[in-house]
Amino acid sequence: MLAARYQFELIEAGCDEAGRGCLAGPVFAAAVILPHDFDHHLLNDSKQVSEEIRYQLRTEIEERAVAYAVASVDNFEIDEINILNASFLAMHRAIEKLHIAPQFLIIDGNRFKKYPNVPHECIIKGDGKYFSIAAASILAKTYRDDYMLKIAAEHPEYDWHTNKGYPTIKHRETVMKIGFTPYHRKTFRVSDPQLSIF
């Protein structure tokens, strides 16, 4: 059972990212402020629900959220600053875009680069514990999937319409056979089968 909030005194935003372990495309992040009494029986970590349910949840989150924002960091920036820093930057950009300033942040994971003047708490597997982080994971995942589907038509041989840029065997083999596209992260080791554990 997910909890509504980590604390109830300050305006709280949940943050999460999607696409960290991909070979291609940006990393996306979302920040979501939900009502105090928010509840939803289907909302969970985006990896725990089907694609159909994710898009249904996205509509409801966008309708019911007090505020939400989605941002990204592209593959060129990822190559420059590394994927961990790019994930933090994407979350910072999403927080900055919120039309209501949060007073407290809950972050999925165990590390975060402090956002100026806003306290935070890192929560391991937070997308399965708090509604606002789960909502952020849904938005980040669906917005990123939309982006990958949009560019998939430009390079159909990489199967982005199904793998969304993640390092499947076929995706890695295609990169090794015909090379990178302008969307690939060139600092990632294409031949490493453990790449998805980023």
Side-chain angles (χ1 to χ4, degrees):
M1 181 68 179
L2 276 66
R5 295 169 66 85
Y6 182 81
Q7 53 76 50
F8 286 86
E9 296 179 4
L10 304 172
I11 298 172
E12 181 176 285
C15 302
D16 201 4
E17 52 73 29
R20 221 173 127 181
C22 295
L23 283 178
V27 60
F28 274 67
V32 181
I33 300 173
L34 293 174
H36 284 289
D37 59 350
F38 184 90
D39 192 13
H40 199 295
H41 70 288
L42 291 177
L43 182 55
N44 203 339
D45 167 12
S46 64
K47 297 182 290 295
Q48 301 298 319
V49 297
S50 69
E51 183 175 50
E52 180 182 3
I53 296 297
R54 279 197 295 270
Y55 280 94
Q56 290 177 12
L57 286 167
R58 173 168 136 180
T59 299
E60 294 191 52
I61 291 162
E62 292 178 346
E63 289 175 349
R64 296 175 61 187
V66 174
Y68 71 90
V70 181
S72 65
V73 172
D74 68 26
N75 54 301
F76 300 106
E77 292 177 283
I78 291 169
D79 284 340
E80 286 180 9
I81 64 175
N82 78 45
I83 187 59
L84 181 62
N85 287 322
S87 298
F88 297 157
L89 178 57
M91 284 192 271
H92 279 219
R93 287 177 176 172
I95 295 162
E96 187 176 4
K97 288 172 64 178
L98 289 168
H99 72 270
I100 295 173
Q103 299 170 325
F104 190 82
L105 303 170
I106 52 175
I107 312 295
D108 184 54
N110 62 358
R111 284 192 286 178
F112 184 61
K113 181 178 180 181
K114 180 175 172 56
Y115 188 82
N117 304 314
V118 184
H120 71 269
E121 185 71 28
C122 293
I123 301 166
I124 296 170
K125 297 184 179 179
D127 49 5
K129 296 176 181 177
Y130 292 94
F131 281 124
S132 62
I133 301 179
S137 81
I138 295 289
L139 295 190
K141 170 65 174 167
T142 55
Y143 275 78
R144 188 181 188 282
D145 284 357
D146 287 350
Y147 177 90
M148 295 307 297
L149 288 172
K150 182 178 177 181
I151 65 171
E154 298 177 32
H155 302 279
E157 60 274 24
Y158 294 89
D159 279 353
W160 291 339
H161 63 289
T162 57
N163 65 46
K164 307 301 192 299
Y166 282 90
T168 61
I169 292 173
K170 183 178 178 183
H171 190 183
R172 292 197 304 265
E173 288 176 345
T174 303
V175 173
M176 289 187 283
K177 182 178 179 181
I178 64 177
F180 290 115
T181 70
Y183 299 105
H184 276 98
R185 305 170 185 179
K186 295 182 179 178
T187 52
F188 279 42
R189 292 167 298 181
V190 178
S191 60
D192 186 352
Q194 297 301 313
L195 185 61
S196 59
I197 313 177
F198 262 82

